[in-house]
Amino acid sequence: VKIPLSWLREYVTLPAKITAEQIAAAFVKVGFEVEGIDYQGRDLTGPVLVGKVLSIEELTGHKKPIRYVGLDLGEKKTRFVICGASNFKVNDLVVVAVPGAVLPGDFKISARQTYERLSDGMICSAKELGISDDHAGIIVLAEGKIGSDAISLLDIKDVVFDIAVNPDRGYAMSVRGLARELAGSLRCKYVDPADIKITKKLDAIKSSKAVSVKIEDKSGADAIYIRTFEKVNVKRPTPLWMQRRIEKCGMRSISLAVDITNYVMLELGQPLHAFDADLISGGLRVARANKFSKLTTLDKVERKLSPDNLLICDGKSALALAGTMGGLASEVSGKTTRIALEAAHFDPLSIARNSRFHMLSSEASRRIERNTDPVLAQVASARAGQLLIELAGAKYLGTAQAGSPIKKRKVKISIAQISKFIGYNYSTKQVKDALSLIGCKVAGGGSLLNVEVPTWRPDLISSADFSEEIARINGYELIPARLPVGKGGAGLSALQIRKRQIATMLATQGFSEVINSPFVSQEMVDLLGFTGDRAKSFRIANPMSEDFPLLRTHLIPGLLTTLNRNIGRGGKDLAIFEIGTVFRNTTPLGKAVNPAIDKRPSAKLVSDIYAGVPKQMLFVGGAVAGEKTLSNWQGSGENFIWSDAIAKAVEIVEATGNEFEIVSSDLAPWHPGRCAELRVGGKPIAHAGELHPRVIAALNLPPRTCVFAVILSELPVAKTIRAPRIWNLPATVQDVALVVKKDITADQLQRALRAGAGELLESVTLFDRYDQIGDGKVSLAFTLSFRAADRTLTADEVGRYRDAAVAQAGKECGAILRS
Amino acid sequence: MSLEQGQIESDLAQALKAIAATTDLDGLKQIKIDYIGDKSPLAKANQALASVDPASRANFGKLIGSARAQVNQEFEKKSAELANLRDSQVLLTERVDVTLPGRRTLKGGLHPLTILTNEISDMFIGLGYKVAEGPELESEWLNFDALNIPADHPARTMQDTFFVQPLEAKLVLRTHTSPVQIRTMLDHKPPLYVICPGKTYRADELDATHTPVFHQVEGLVVDEGITMADLKGTLDYFAKSIFGDEVTTRLRPSFFPFTEPSAEVDVFFNGRWIEWGGCGMVNEKVLIACGVDTKKYTGFAFGMGLERTLMVKHGITDMHDIVEGDVRFTQSFGVGKK
């Protein structure tokens, strides 16, 4: 909310020399964030005077209408100025900056020749004076003495604070509330503007001519006051002081009756509404919409009502969306003479729902949603009534009231408990002072205090609520700092360690970690050819962009998008990876449950809540393109190829300590002949290889782009490693070249050799592959290395093991020794 | 054969002279044959010792031994001298430009958010905390209700939260990592010391300071006698570990449905106060919803945006750099630099 210092000063006795910054700091200290300080009139110097328009000469032949205006500034001679605005007529009072004046933005006013005339000053708009953004026309004053200082008349020199009020402090959306907070923070004297005494005079009068009221839905409001006036002169102008205050608070002056309701709302925090009493049929009712299906609100929007909308109605129709916006049909117009002034204590939730249902947030609804002081319905309506009488010559007819009187709420609080909770020992005086400053009445002297809670603080219920107030008003800086330490740390979990290891491993191997958007388009899913589980995306009901409504089921879409972005920026040799969650709509979800929070839900309910949340797997994925070792002065580098992506997947699975089997796969979006599937315990856990050329072409990726993906969360946690015994007798090696059919994989052959070679085999390494022998065959050459614990193996013995290995390879893979 | 002292001395002198006169390593090879090897005069004299009169054998032995030792010593000296000479000349011709770059593989790096998360996790593990994680697609009850954010709360509108179809499933992309706190309290008994780092989602357009997908770290402590002073001390320690020992923190009163009292925590860094995160004492209603005995336990909680922390710490001025995945950005952080 915006709040002028001049208005605050009316209710807080501030030190004379206090600066705007000190006031802002005082607000911040008690929890009111100051989002802006507007020093109005700081860079404005006069003379800026009130002038009366004597003559208007319309200059023609220019791109826009230009007027040459004769002005009476109380000077001997008429002063003439050029003016581009046309929202004024002869005899109007306007604001004139005369030569020598400096307007905001260091705009120096001087006499100058323009449009072939001498312009001896400038008629000002509100924007030119720096008091609002209104630049639609120049200011036309309702009052003012000719030739007097307009800066003081318009009360321009002021400071306007823009304050963010937290949702639990509805009372502070007013001069009344913020003045109290400021007074509390600075420990200054405060006078409450909501004085119940002002109601006395009005409440004494009863009249049958007054509009009556009933609360038909008690869940919607618990108090309402309707004060009726006749002979209201609605055409009288709003006094300048009121108009200016409304403007400083960021609202517009509209008409006297409306301005009065807004002024009182800004001052006290109670929204009010003025009805044309002659347009009300019978009495007013607070009721749910039910049968009423339509209402045209003041903003001229015809609204379809929901049956549970809270309304102000009469016998015939819906008149206003309660606490949110009045209706057009019963609004105060130029013809109005009788006014029914409404002020109520509405249920915040009902008004929040009104507002949300119609997507209509008003000054009124914003206040009521955050709760208004129930006492104010009576006081604020009386204050507004008084202003109608004073300013609009209204005659008071009487008041109708419905709802129960306000009950005072009392609670007991323990200083000891509060001190223990905050971690600071508050004295009785500190507690009492703080509570008094926020409006509580405090009795008792020991550790247990009896507190009467002010009507505007329904949020103060538990000991913690009072703790906050006491800590806040005494200052959070009073609280000491203490460092608690957990009872026995547990370190990272196995999966957390795995995540770190893999990330660090990839980063040190030249991969750059990226964090991709999880939002995916249907086109991408289709292009990548995702089927099965990977096609079962969750759809976001309200996506940021309709083009990307799906949650990723895989990391590849994001990786390829990011790879492309890097290429677009000139990247050529790229290796990126991401570790992230994927979402698959694969398992039927339990029905959503919503237990109350007044106790822990039963074990059954907790497990139902958990069952309603889909399982989400953690993936690591990567994409590579270009060179892995870079070309330089020594010659060409080496490109990433399919086997690099597969090697990376293999290294990742190995790093988790899992045994795996590797088979050929034709899974999309990979190249059907260049994709490896890694299986752990028979379950596919990783895919890696070259992308399908169709995908590469469609996304305009570099040829032979390769990707890998490993499901980190599905890999079992490895058991504690058993250390191998390291034998230091020399190893004996044997090379074998085997010819197999091309569809036999190196992995199959290697497994067969291992199986046949016996337990002294230490390693099998593929050192050559020759595929030019024809006949659909290929030759693979391996080095078998053997070692024994207790002896150096002889060539004869090792030869026998080799023969056994070859025999096994022959049996399993049809391998024959290459001659 | 007879031995003469004069002859031995003359052989010695000749050998020393020949060594001194040699100028290259090839010449030294011949010297070795001529004056040290088995057929050299001094070697022969040594062999002849056996036939010498036993009375003078000891004297001759000493004389020959000393002469041979002297020759050997001079030879080794000369040999080292000439090897050095050769090295300094020959290796000079093999000199290279050592500033020529070697074969490089690609430069890699961890995303700075990962580095920061690790740093924070390690710090809190040191304080006896656990690192708790949970699902990003989360139930509304865990993300909102249990945190005292009722159904009509403004935070639950479509403007702020991503909802997932079908709406009856009541699933949202979590708007904070607080549901992990709730899961922790539902699954474990106090004392609880956890931090919850992770990805979070809010329906904000990507701009210089906002992103719809961001990261948070939250902390939760529930134990006997936990006070706001504990919260203050923990945040101060946390801030110093991230931004440096010289920073100070302050708490400002604020409001969150899940804490009471609530506060904003600001950090005084590089000469100005920076809004860092929210915190407070865990609202009793939240503890009750999770079955924590509120007569025995109190707790505090805090939450910070990691992107914001990163921006402040490293002087990053545009969120786009953090989210776009440009490898140049990641590479500049390596695998973690302070």
Side-chain angles (χ1 to χ4, degrees):
Chain A
V1 293
K2 287 185 176 166
I3 198 115
L5 177 57
S6 57
W7 206 348
L8 287 170
R9 276 191 187 276
E10 242 175 70
Y11 306 109
V12 196
T13 313
L14 291 170
K17 289 207 172 143
I18 195 162
T19 64
E21 289 75 19
Q22 286 168 326
I23 291 170
F27 274 123
V28 169
K29 188 184 161 230
V30 289
F32 292 86
E33 209 171 311
V34 177
E35 293 185 326
I37 306 177
D38 183 9
Y39 301 87
Q40 293 194 349
R42 185 166 65 173
D43 41 8
L44 171 69
T45 35
V48 177
L49 307 173
V50 177
K52 184 177 170 186
V53 178
L54 297 177
S55 63
I56 298 173
E57 181 192 351
E58 306 280 354
L59 305 183
T60 53
H62 302 290
K63 278 181 196 150
K64 52 178 186 168
I66 295 295
R67 289 174 159 191
Y68 195 49
V69 185
L71 294 162
D72 176 3
L73 295 182
E75 299 161 310
K76 280 185 190 142
K77 279 171 66 184
T78 301
R79 186 180 285 267
F80 287 92
V81 304
I82 287 286
C83 183
S86 40
N87 64 321
F88 59 97
K89 54 188 190 302
V90 171
N91 286 333
D92 276 353
L93 292 174
V94 296
V95 177
V96 186
V98 302
V102 182
L103 304 191
D106 201 23
F107 180 16
K108 294 191 177 74
I109 303 298
S110 56
R112 62 196 179 105
Q113 199 70 29
T114 179
Y115 296 101
E116 294 153 5
R117 301 286 196 286
L118 179 77
S119 182
D120 199 9
M122 188 177 87
I123 307 178
C124 302
S125 71
K127 192 178 179 187
E128 282 155 349
L129 293 176
I131 56 177
S132 89
D133 288 334
D134 190 358
H135 198 47
I138 53 103
I139 298 172
V140 177
L141 296 169
E143 57 190 281
K145 190 167 161 283
I146 292 167
S148 67
D149 175 22
I151 296 175
S152 62
L153 180 73
L154 290 169
D155 199 13
I156 290 177
K157 304 253 177 192
D158 203 348
V159 179
V160 178
F161 297 99
D162 190 357
I163 293 174
V165 175
N166 285 323
D168 61 334
R169 300 189 184 277
Y171 70 91
M173 294 186 79
S174 62
V175 177
R176 180 196 188 206
L178 286 171
R180 186 193 308 279
E181 289 295 334
L182 184 59
S185 181
L186 291 167
R187 313 272 164 151
C188 296
K189 187 168 179 291
Y190 168 74
V191 181
D192 189 347
D195 183 358
I196 193 80
K197 282 197 281 282
I198 60 176
T199 66
K200 291 243 168 80
K201 219 165 100 190
L202 294 189
D203 287 355
I205 301 168
K206 308 274 174 219
S207 163
S208 57
K209 284 194 271 179
V211 174
S212 67
V213 67
K214 270 196 298 198
I215 298 177
E216 286 179 6
D217 187 320
K218 291 197 166 58
S219 72
D222 56 13
I224 187 163
Y225 279 74
I226 305 291
R227 301 190 189 271
T228 311
F229 301 85
E230 62 177 0
K231 297 185 176 149
V232 186
N233 191 345
V234 294
K235 286 189 176 154
R236 279 203 201 164
T238 303
L240 206 52
W241 59 266
M242 179 178 280
Q243 194 183 322
R244 286 292 299 133
R245 282 193 167 172
I246 290 171
E247 284 168 3
K248 284 176 188 175
C249 291
M251 295 180 75
R252 274 162 188 273
S253 168
I254 292 160
S255 67
L256 180 58
V258 175
D259 286 353
I260 287 172
T261 60
N262 283 337
Y263 182 83
V264 173
M265 173 182 73
L266 293 169
E267 183 178 71
L268 300 179
Q270 170 67 47
L272 298 132
H273 185 64
F275 293 93
D276 184 328
D278 290 324
L279 299 174
I280 297 171
S281 166
L284 291 175
R285 303 181 293 130
V286 180
R288 299 286 164 182
N290 295 325
K291 294 195 302 270
F292 295 131
S293 60
K294 272 190 275 184
L295 171 68
T296 303
T297 38
L298 284 174
D299 52 6
K300 300 190 175 65
V301 177
E302 188 186 276
R303 299 182 184 272
K304 200 171 166 296
L305 298 174
S306 147
D308 70 339
N309 283 161
L310 190 69
L311 302 180
I312 307 291
C313 329
D314 61 10
K316 281 189 188 152
S317 54
L319 296 185
L321 200 52
T324 313
M325 193 173 273
L328 194 62
S330 57
E331 84 169 324
V332 172
S333 70
K335 292 180 204 143
T336 302
T337 59
R338 288 173 69 236
I339 281 180
L341 198 60
E342 168 239 300
H345 182 242
F346 290 115
D347 164 47
L349 208 54
S350 298
I351 304 310
R353 285 180 183 149
N354 269 2
S355 164
R356 201 146 315 134
F357 182 81
H358 292 288
M359 298 213 278
L360 177 63
S361 177
S362 65
E363 293 287 342
S365 69
R366 276 198 289 280
R367 284 170 172 80
I368 298 172
E369 269 177 19
R370 289 165 169 79
N371 209 322
T372 49
D373 181 353
V375 165
L376 283 179
Q378 185 185 12
V379 179
S381 59
R383 167 90 171 113
Q386 210 177 31
L387 288 168
L388 275 177
I389 294 167
E390 279 171 25
L391 304 175
K395 185 169 175 287
Y396 178 58
L397 282 178
T399 294
Q401 179 256 324
S404 45
I406 313 306
K407 287 195 199 90
K408 297 219 163 102
R409 196 158 57 85
K410 287 184 181 166
V411 290
K412 274 191 172 51
I413 61 161
S414 153
I415 298 179
Q417 191 187 347
I418 286 168
S419 292
K420 193 175 169 233
F421 185 53
I422 298 295
Y424 176 84
N425 281 322
Y426 291 102
S427 69
T428 307
K429 183 174 186 316
Q430 281 173 314
V431 172
K432 280 185 153 178
D433 285 354
L435 293 176
S436 304
L437 285 167
I438 62 166
C440 295
K441 291 199 179 92
V442 190
S447 176
L448 224 52
L449 299 179
N450 291 309
V451 181
E452 188 186 309
V453 184
T455 49
W456 60 90
R457 293 304 301 269
D459 58 312
L460 296 182
I461 296 162
S462 70
S463 178
D465 300 330
F466 287 96
S467 300
E468 177 172 82
E469 294 304 294
I470 290 158
R472 177 175 80 93
I473 298 295
N474 282 295
Y476 277 2
E477 69 277 4
L478 220 56
I479 304 169
R482 208 173 71 177
L483 183 64
V485 172
K487 311 283 186 285
L492 293 172
S493 72
L495 186 61
Q496 287 163 350
I497 291 172
R498 174 181 291 173
K499 243 184 348 188
R500 278 203 195 184
Q501 281 175 336
I502 305 290
T504 309
M505 177 183 105
L506 290 169
T508 51
Q509 290 177 352
F511 280 75
S512 293
E513 188 182 15
V514 295
I515 298 174
N516 298 314
S517 166
F519 306 130
V520 176
S521 68
Q522 185 63 51
E523 292 71 53
M524 182 64 105
V525 171
D526 295 341
L527 170 71
L528 295 179
F530 283 166
T531 52
D533 287 356
R534 298 179 308 158
K536 290 176 183 155
S537 307
F538 280 102
R539 183 173 288 270
I540 295 171
N542 53 332
M544 292 302 289
S545 155
E546 290 299 335
D547 294 337
F548 300 94
L550 305 178
L551 276 178
R552 66 181 178 194
T553 58
H554 206 279
L555 296 182
I556 289 181
L559 286 166
L560 297 184
T561 306
T562 298
L563 194 70
N564 243 342
R565 181 175 299 129
N566 277 281
I567 290 161
R569 294 175 180 183
K572 285 200 300 285
D573 309 311
L574 295 160
I576 57 172
F577 78 99
E578 177 176 22
I579 295 180
T581 305
V582 304
F583 310 88
R584 295 179 181 181
N585 195 357
T586 50
T587 42
L589 300 173
K591 198 177 168 307
V593 284
N594 249 27
I597 63 161
D598 54 349
K599 60 174 197 287
R600 186 189 203 275
S602 65
K604 164 83 171 66
L605 277 170
V606 171
S607 83
D608 286 349
I609 291 167
Y610 289 169
V613 178
K615 181 181 151 184
Q616 292 153 52
M617 294 186 289
L618 186 73
F619 269 58
V620 55
V624 292
E627 291 183 349
K628 63 172 167 176
T629 43
L630 302 174
S631 297
N632 75 353
W633 59 276
Q634 287 157 288
S636 299
E638 199 183 342
N639 279 326
F640 281 113
I641 61 163
W642 54 270
S643 67
D644 295 310
I646 297 169
K648 218 41 69 183
V650 165
E651 284 171 36
I652 289 167
V653 176
E654 277 176 356
T656 68
N658 278 287
E659 301 271 328
F660 61 92
E661 184 191 355
I662 183 163
V663 297
S664 180
S665 167
D666 59 358
L667 190 76
W670 279 273
H671 185 308
R674 295 185 170 187
C675 174
E677 177 174 292
L678 273 64
R679 293 178 184 163
V680 173
K683 209 165 118 184
I685 215 82
H687 289 91
E690 190 176 309
L691 274 179
H692 197 293
R694 180 179 51 79
V695 173
I696 290 176
L699 294 175
N700 205 16
L701 291 165
R704 308 289 183 196
T705 296
C706 301
V707 291
F708 64 84
V710 182
I711 315 176
L712 279 187
S713 56
E714 296 298 294
L715 283 161
V717 174
K719 291 197 190 99
T720 305
I721 292 165
R722 301 286 307 169
R725 184 74 176 79
I726 303 300
W727 307 118
N728 44 18
L729 288 166
T732 309
V733 298
Q734 287 274 330
D735 289 348
V736 288
L738 298 170
V739 175
V740 288
K741 282 201 245 153
K742 267 189 172 163
D743 59 357
I744 296 292
T745 68
D747 185 63
Q748 285 171 317
L749 201 50
Q750 195 162 317
R751 280 169 187 278
L753 288 170
R754 272 184 193 284
E759 59 183 12
L760 296 182
L761 179 77
E762 193 172 68
S763 67
V764 183
T765 314
L766 176 70
F767 70 90
D768 188 39
R769 185 175 188 278
Y770 182 70
D771 59 4
Q772 304 295 312
I773 49 179
D775 204 15
K777 300 228 163 118
V778 62
S779 160
L780 296 163
F782 296 90
T783 298
L784 311 181
S785 177
F786 298 88
R787 202 191 303 258
D790 53 350
R791 63 191 193 279
T792 301
L793 295 170
T794 64
D796 274 359
E797 186 182 357
V798 168
R800 287 200 304 277
Y801 301 148
R802 179 205 57 201
D803 293 344
V806 171
Q808 188 69 23
K811 204 165 110 195
E812 283 186 33
C813 308
I816 46 167
L817 266 177
R818 194 177 172 195
S819 46
Chain B
M1 181 187 170
S2 66
L3 286 171
E4 280 177 41
Q5 184 171 346
Q7 186 58 43
I8 291 167
E9 281 167 358
S10 132
D11 287 345
L12 171 63
Q14 208 180 337
L16 293 179
K17 192 176 161 201
I19 290 170
T22 311
T23 56
D24 58 47
L25 287 166
D26 286 343
L28 267 188
K29 277 181 197 156
Q30 194 55 50
I31 300 265
K32 195 167 187 178
I33 296 165
D34 294 347
Y35 297 100
I36 297 174
D38 290 347
K39 290 179 180 144
S40 63
L42 284 173
K44 283 183 181 156
N46 200 44
Q47 288 152 18
L49 266 181
S51 54
V52 173
D53 164 28
S56 53
R57 196 183 290 165
N59 273 344
F60 273 111
K62 222 183 258 176
L63 188 66
I64 293 168
S66 153
R68 293 185 82 191
Q70 217 177 327
V71 171
N72 274 331
Q73 196 184 337
E74 284 306 309
F75 178 85
E76 290 304 327
K77 213 169 116 193
K78 189 73 181 184
S79 173
E81 233 170 65
L82 290 176
N84 280 343
L85 195 67
R86 178 209 54 194
D87 287 357
S88 61
Q89 286 170 346
V90 174
L91 294 187
L92 216 55
T93 66
E94 293 181 8
R95 190 189 168 101
V96 296
D97 175 0
V98 296
T99 67
L100 287 171
R103 281 278 191 201
R104 288 293 294 259
T105 51
L106 295 177
K107 199 188 255 184
L110 293 177
H111 195 282
L113 283 169
T114 301
I115 297 169
L116 182 64
T117 305
N118 292 348
E119 203 181 314
I120 293 170
S121 302
D122 291 345
M123 193 276 284
F124 277 104
I125 283 171
L127 289 179
Y129 286 57
K130 263 191 191 176
V131 179
E133 290 171 299
E136 293 168 28
L137 185 56
E138 184 60 285
S139 89
E140 281 196 49
W141 193 85
L142 292 163
N143 191 73
F144 291 127
D145 298 71
L147 286 151
N148 191 33
I149 307 173
D152 283 287
H153 194 279
R156 293 180 70 157
T157 62
M158 291 256 187
Q159 282 118 44
D160 295 294
T161 304
F162 288 114
F163 291 83
V164 161
Q165 289 177 345
L167 293 176
E168 308 84 76
K170 293 196 174 294
L171 289 172
V172 294
L173 286 170
R174 65 180 181 194
T175 56
H176 42 199
T177 59
S178 310
V180 183
Q181 296 188 26
I182 301 298
R183 285 171 177 269
T184 301
M185 287 190 277
L186 287 172
D187 297 346
H188 304 281
K189 291 212 174 318
L192 299 169
Y193 290 77
V194 293
I195 58 158
C196 318
K199 206 173 268 187
T200 48
Y201 302 80
R202 278 179 212 175
D204 284 326
E205 289 289 344
L206 176 65
D207 63 23
T209 52
H210 297 87
T211 163
V213 185
F214 60 107
H215 296 75
Q216 275 194 334
V217 62
E218 292 189 359
L220 169 73
V221 167
V222 180
D223 202 348
E224 288 179 58
I226 289 295
T227 71
M228 218 163 156
D230 295 308
L231 169 63
K232 209 172 167 182
T234 302
L235 289 172
D236 202 59
Y237 186 84
F238 181 16
K240 286 180 162 64
S241 86
I242 297 300
F243 298 107
D245 277 341
E246 65 283 3
V247 303
T248 50
T249 56
R250 75 171 177 199
L251 297 185
R252 269 189 295 121
S254 188
F255 170 79
F256 305 105
F258 32 84
T259 48
E260 184 80 25
S262 302
E264 299 274 349
V265 55
D266 298 343
V267 178
F268 195 74
F269 181 71
N270 283 347
R272 62 195 180 102
W273 285 106
I274 312 259
E275 283 184 34
W276 191 29
C279 62
M281 299 300 288
V282 182
N283 194 318
E284 206 174 39
K285 290 180 185 166
V286 175
L287 295 176
I288 289 168
C290 297
V292 173
D293 179 358
T294 53
K295 287 200 183 68
K296 195 170 172 194
Y297 297 106
T298 50
F300 68 69
F302 57 83
M304 280 82 197
L306 289 180
E307 278 80 0
R308 176 159 178 79
T309 306
L310 206 63
M311 289 174 99
V312 171
K313 182 176 177 176
H314 295 285
I316 300 162
T317 52
D318 195 326
M319 184 68 78
H320 289 88
D321 292 341
I322 299 178
V323 306
E324 281 180 344
D326 195 310
V327 295
R328 293 170 297 174
F329 181 73
T330 297
Q331 283 164 357
S332 65
F333 291 89
V335 288
K337 298 169 193 161
K338 271 275 178 184

